[in-house]
């Protein structure tokens, strides 16, 4: 960890900038409600109430901290060993808003702001970065951070296409950085229990894993009506686009949650076909199927409301919108020859037989808080071990989604070789494995 004293340390001598703990809690609670995100789990609940010496703190910077990023940042603030030093954003108002939030939390005025993320990465007193930009930036920013010697917590979708997925995993391997994808359900007890039942063979030979895609369309994103761009010091439109294909400024696109959700594909409720919301559920299915180092080898477009992909083992990954038990958003279901389990964001799960519990007590946590996932990341930063949603796991769960999107877009069955990273006898599908990126942004 960085032992530097520079940054957002609490400073009791600044009486005017040192609000009470109660006012800080009220501010964080209000901020959390404002972004309509899942609740925080307090640091005290996770045994992190004691003061942490500077030498044991993880110093963190933020890149592109918008709506989701503000929630993530709150989860970082809940950890007593985090010191937030700086924020970068292409929007001046957002930079100032996050600085105010960080300064209030730390009780000082030390959080630095940047418009160019490369300046933040140049700092040698920052251990890790939170990347919550638009998805067009995730993979590129993550690789830049790794090469700058930073660990990173990166929101998903982490990559725009299949080629970028492999590049991301390769850069993390070569640089030895700790990478955590923002698929936080891997660290929630009921989801982890359901995946364990499937992966351990408790359900018998696994036959099918079901994911909720929340969008089964795929199309190429386009332009919106051109508008006059604000001054660059207020909004850096060119930097906002980054590696994405150029298009004229439009203020709605700045706020469009679906912008460039993977490979230029948009569609479905969250965008990008099955990639946006569906990547959470597919990621859990990958874990349940023991497929963190591979992906399905066959992909079919939707038939009768279901889109089926098949692993080399014969296990089927079934994407479907309907026929779920009322267990909340992001449902998954795992079926084996001897039993099944289904669960969702309610925190509850249903089993084919209570014998599968084997006397265990599984904590039920409603919603989808990222606090446990952030804690996993910070612990791995300190121990240099691999977090639950590491770069290899993220690589292949994203590939499963990207390949499914290509099958959706082309509306035909595809065969994929995860080792050669290519589709069999399909030049058109292979061209969709990657895309040109704008100079100078190369992974």
């Amino acid at each position: 960890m960085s032992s530097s004293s520079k940054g957002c340390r609490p400073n009791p001598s600044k009486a005017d900038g040192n609000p009470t703990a109660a006012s800080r809690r009220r501010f964080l609670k209000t901020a959390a409600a404002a972004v309509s995100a899942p609740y925080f789990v307090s640091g005290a609940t996770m045994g992190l109430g004691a003061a942490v010496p500077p030498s044991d703190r993880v110093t963190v910077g933020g890149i592109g901290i918008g709506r989701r990023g503000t929630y993530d940042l709150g989860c970082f603030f809940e950890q007593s060993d985090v010191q937030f030093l700086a924020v970068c954003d292409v929007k001046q108002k957002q930079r100032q808003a996050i600085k105010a939030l960080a300064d209030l939390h730390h009780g000082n005025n030390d959080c630095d702001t940047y418009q160019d993320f490369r300046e933040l990465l140049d700092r040698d007193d920052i251990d890790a970065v939170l990347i919550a930009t638009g998805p067009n930036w995730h993979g590129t920013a993550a690789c830049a951070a790794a090469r700058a010697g930073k660990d990173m917590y990166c929101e998903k979708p982490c990559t725009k296409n299949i080629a970028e997925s492999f590049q991301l995993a390769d850069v993390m391997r070569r640089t030895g950085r700790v990478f955590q994808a923002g698929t936080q359900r891997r660290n929630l007890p009921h989801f982890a229990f359901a995946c364990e039942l499937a992966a351990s063979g408790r359900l018998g030979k696994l036959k099918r894993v079901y994911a909720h895609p929340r969008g089964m369309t795929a199309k190429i994103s386009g332009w919106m009506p051109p508008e006059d761009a604000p001054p660059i010091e207020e909004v850096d439109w060119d930097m906002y686009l980054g590696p994405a294909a150029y298009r004229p400024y439009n203020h709605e696109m700045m706020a469009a949650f679906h912008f460039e959700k993977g490979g230029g594909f948009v569609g479905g409720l969250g965008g990008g076909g099955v990639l946006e919301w569906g990547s959470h559920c597919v990621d859990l299915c990958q874990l349940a199927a023991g497929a963190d180092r591979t992906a399905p080898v066959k992909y079919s477009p939707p038939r009768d409301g279901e889109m089926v992909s098949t692993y080399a083992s014969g296990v089927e990954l079934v994407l479907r919108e309907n026929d779920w038990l009322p267990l909340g958003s992001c449902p998954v279901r795992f079926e084996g020859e001897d039993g099944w389990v289904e669960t969702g964001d309610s925190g509850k799960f249903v089993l084919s037989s209570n014998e599968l519990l084997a006397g265990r007590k599984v904590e039920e946590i409603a919603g989808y808080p990222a606090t446990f996932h952030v804690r996993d990341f910070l612990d791995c930063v300190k121990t240099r071990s691999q977090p639950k949603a590491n770069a290899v796991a993220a690589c292949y769960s994203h590939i499963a989604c990207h390949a499914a999107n290509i099958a959706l877009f082309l509306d035909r069955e595809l065969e994929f070789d995860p080792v050669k990273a290519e589709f069999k006898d399909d030049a058109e599908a292979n061209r969709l494995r990657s895309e040109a990126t704008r100079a100078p942004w190369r992974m």
Side-chain angles (χ1 to χ4, degrees), residues 196-260:
E196 177 191 335
L197 288 178
S200 66
R202 293 283 309 282
L203 303 178
K205 183 180 179 181
L206 195 62
K207 306 296 288 184
R208 296 176 190 85
V209 289
Y210 293 82
H212 183 218
R214 203 177 179 186
M216 294 176 70
T217 61
K219 60 184 179 180
I220 299 298
S221 57
W223 290 14
M224 298 183 74
E227 298 175 348
D228 292 334
I232 192 170
E233 59 272 14
E234 295 181 12
V235 176
D236 191 336
W237 173 248
D238 186 69
M239 182 66 82
Y240 177 79
L241 292 174
Y246 174 79
R247 63 208 66 196
Y249 172 82
N250 182 285
H251 77 281
E252 291 185 13
M253 192 168 288
M254 292 288 291
F257 191 65
H258 63 270
F259 175 67
E260 286 288 326

Side-chain angles (χ1 to χ4, degrees), residues 65 70 73 84 87 94-103 111:
I65 309 301
T70 301
L73 182 59
F84 191 77
V87 60
Q94 196 63 25
R95 292 194 297 273
Q96 295 304 318
I98 297 303
K99 172 179 169 57
L101 184 62
D103 287 346
C111 182

